[in-house]
Amino acid sequence: MLIRFGFEISVTCTQPVPMLLALSTHTEFAGRLIGLDQVRSDRAAPISEYVDTYGNRISRTVAEPGWTTFWSDCVAEVDGQPDNIPYGAIQHRIEDLPHETLNFLTASRYCDSDSLANFAWANFGGTNEGWDRVAAICAYVHNHVTFGYKFGRPDKTARDVLEEKSGVCRDFAHLGVSLCRAMNIPARYASGYLGDIGVPDTGFDDFCAWFEVYLGGRWHTVDARYNAPRIGRILMVRGSDASDVAMITSFGAYQLANFRVWTTEIDGQPTDSELLSMLETRPEPRASGPDFGSAVPGAVHLI
């Protein structure tokens, strides 16, 4: 399966603003890429790239005064299979877990699992360990939380999501991660592209957050927002929670002036040359997304 994916994000600022952009595919993304998967800009400011401790590719630049558009446009060849459901995957004893998973057992900025332990054990302690327990947590979050862009805010923790019963996709992921960690299941936050492939077309593309759990000797994808296997995930970032993988981390004030994402399955069997020719022009907008036009004072901005 071939999927065209990319974004176009425009910002305005009155003075130079250093920025870190987590907007590229992850170093462990399994698909084949056709085209240039790098953050580009319509301004002359240079963009460099480094890989952080989670394997995320981070672009570093300075947004000059005025209007700047960052963008990327690429094609991924993926297997086209839905998310795997690891029926029967076992939960490891803590003493048997690999060292690298232990960081994903403890509380983090948005995943305040330490404050949710009593709730988690009271509600899920009677489930079978392993995948059955994760599935029960995912189903609870899916049924308990109402999705809506108006419910998103940058300081919202997992406990807030539990109490307010609403949020955006990152909030579903944060609550799922926190409840799993509270029950000694390593869980980490993930985000990327997820188009309407194999499901009804919403008419609007966006980035999507989900999470991953460590069971049976490997990591597995879990999506509490949709609570169903999906096709065509393109992994961008991983971390303890969204604070590790902010799409835009700014060190100064700016305003988000335009934001659009595309994730579209490509019909037929075009050659690589035909795909590269297609990528010479960015796709036309499909529909208007949510309003992100507020000023951002600096530090970390999580879209």
Side-chain angles (χ1 to χ4, degrees):
M1 173 183 289
L2 295 170
I3 300 174
R4 184 177 185 174
F5 67 97
F7 67 87
E8 188 175 79
I9 298 174
S10 299
V11 301
T12 61
C13 50
T14 59
Q15 60 184 356
V17 178
M19 290 184 170
L20 305 178
L21 309 174
L23 291 165
S24 299
T25 53
H26 195 273
T27 54
E28 295 182 4
F29 171 63
R32 183 173 75 96
L33 298 174
I34 302 98
L36 185 62
D37 175 37
Q38 292 180 349
V39 176
R40 287 165 275 181
S41 169
D42 62 352
R43 303 290 292 274
I47 300 177
S48 60
E49 185 178 289
Y50 68 94
V51 177
D52 71 8
T53 56
Y54 296 102
N56 304 315
R57 295 166 53 208
I58 309 298
S59 298
R60 182 176 180 178
T61 190
V62 176
E64 299 295 337
W67 182 291
T68 300
T69 296
F70 299 108
W71 63 280
S72 181
D73 193 15
C74 194
V75 173
E77 184 177 35
V78 299
D79 61 16
Q81 297 300 308
D83 301 326
N84 178 59
I85 301 178
Y87 296 112
I90 65 168
Q91 181 175 335
H92 299 273
R93 297 184 304 171
I94 293 177
E95 57 267 36
D96 295 332
L97 286 168
H99 301 317
E100 61 271 17
T101 67
L102 299 178
N103 183 55
F104 300 107
L105 283 174
T106 57
S108 55
R109 178 177 175 182
Y110 294 112
C111 295
D112 44 350
S113 53
D114 49 348
S115 72
L116 297 178
N118 290 339
F119 175 87
W121 283 100
N123 284 272
F124 308 108
T127 59
N128 296 325
E129 290 188 347
W131 174 249
D132 287 350
R133 180 164 290 175
V134 171
I137 289 171
C138 191
Y140 174 83
V141 175
H142 175 79
N143 294 324
H144 180 78
V145 183
T146 298
F147 177 86
Y149 287 106
K150 63 183 179 180
F151 302 127
R153 65 173 191 271
D155 62 347
K156 199 168 192 175
T157 68
R159 173 164 284 282
D160 292 332
V161 180
L162 180 67
E163 294 174 350
E164 298 174 19
K165 303 181 182 180
S166 61
V168 293
C169 57
R170 79 171 202 154
D171 299 315
F172 284 74
H174 283 158
L175 183 53
V177 165
S178 299
L179 293 173
C180 286
R181 289 181 188 171
M183 305 201 74
N184 301 325
I185 301 169
R188 63 190 183 188
Y189 180 90
S191 179
Y193 295 86
L194 181 60
D196 296 325
I197 298 174
V199 297
D201 189 349
T202 62
F204 168 66
D205 293 325
D206 196 1
F207 295 118
C208 182
W210 56 89
F211 66 104
E212 299 172 343
V213 295
Y214 190 85
L215 295 171
R218 61 183 294 263
W219 290 97
H220 304 276
T221 295
V222 184
D223 192 331
R225 177 186 171 187
Y226 294 108
N227 198 30
R230 294 290 298 270
I231 297 171
R233 291 185 198 273
I234 298 177
L235 177 66
M236 290 170 54
V237 290
R238 290 186 178 123
S240 293
D241 60 30
S243 65
D244 291 327
V245 293
M247 293 182 186
I248 301 176
T249 301
S250 71
F251 301 89
Y254 72 94
Q255 183 163 323
L256 187 59
N258 179 57
F259 176 92
R260 69 182 182 101
V261 176
W262 51 92
T263 313
T264 308
E265 182 181 0
I266 298 174
D267 296 327
Q269 297 180 319
T271 65
D272 285 7
S273 295
E274 291 171 331
L275 293 172
L276 291 172
S277 178
M278 177 187 68
L279 292 172
E280 292 177 0
T281 304
R282 273 171 269 172
E284 294 295 321
R286 295 180 63 201
S288 297
D291 181 13
F292 295 107
S294 59
V296 181
V300 176
H301 175 45
L302 299 167
I303 295 175

